[in-house]
Amino acid sequence: MEEFTIQIPRERPFSVVADLVVGGVAARHDVTLDVLDDLQLALDALLEHDDADEGEVSIVLSVVGDTIVASVGPLARTTAVALEQEAGEGLGLRRLLETTMDSVTLAARDGGSWVELRKGYAPAGTAP
């Protein structure tokens, strides 16, 4: 299992760094553009929602078999509250993440709230 960890400031311009790292991991594992787009959209939405807080956020990316796992945290309190709510009918953060990811799990870790995003993939050029 490969694992990559980055820490970035919560301010929006730094989410580009997360996109670059996700793109690099996806390229190494021959992930399709559709899966890459879903991962980047989910991370961008999460980081944009979370930028109200100060400090840094960690993103831990790992590839386990045919699944990419992104753990993000510690989350700002407002982001954790948004993720604890049901997806509902509106286009909130929880709904966006559940639509683009195979699984979204909120958990306590290292004294804060973290979210784990999972997305399965078939390597580009193979049948799903």
Side-chain angles (χ1 to χ4, degrees):
M1 174 177 82
E2 291 182 296
E3 186 174 280
F4 306 90
T5 302
I6 61 171
Q7 288 184 313
I8 59 173
R10 293 180 189 275
E11 291 88 26
R12 180 151 175 75
F14 293 98
S15 67
V16 172
V17 174
D19 287 342
L20 291 172
V21 172
V22 169
V25 170
R28 264 184 91 150
H29 293 277
D30 207 18
V31 172
T32 63
L33 286 176
D34 289 341
V35 171
L36 175 59
D37 284 346
D38 285 349
L39 284 165
Q40 288 177 327
L41 178 63
L43 278 175
D44 287 348
L46 185 60
L47 294 173
E48 181 177 322
H49 194 278
D50 203 54
D51 78 352
D53 204 7
E54 293 184 6
E56 293 186 334
V57 63
S58 295
I59 302 167
V60 181
L61 290 169
S62 56
V63 178
V64 182
D66 61 353
T67 302
I68 296 178
V69 180
S71 297
V72 181
L75 301 173
R77 182 71 192 133
T78 55
T79 303
V81 167
L83 292 174
E84 289 170 349
Q85 298 173 356
E86 292 296 318
E89 294 297 318
L91 184 59
L93 179 62
R94 181 74 186 207
R95 180 153 185 173
L96 184 129
L97 294 180
E98 286 181 352
T99 300
T100 56
M101 297 289 98
D102 294 337
S103 100
V104 177
T105 308
L106 189 64
R109 178 171 142 190
D110 299 330
S113 294
W114 285 65
V115 65
E116 181 179 275
L117 309 172
R118 291 182 167 268
K119 182 72 174 183
Y121 72 95
T126 62

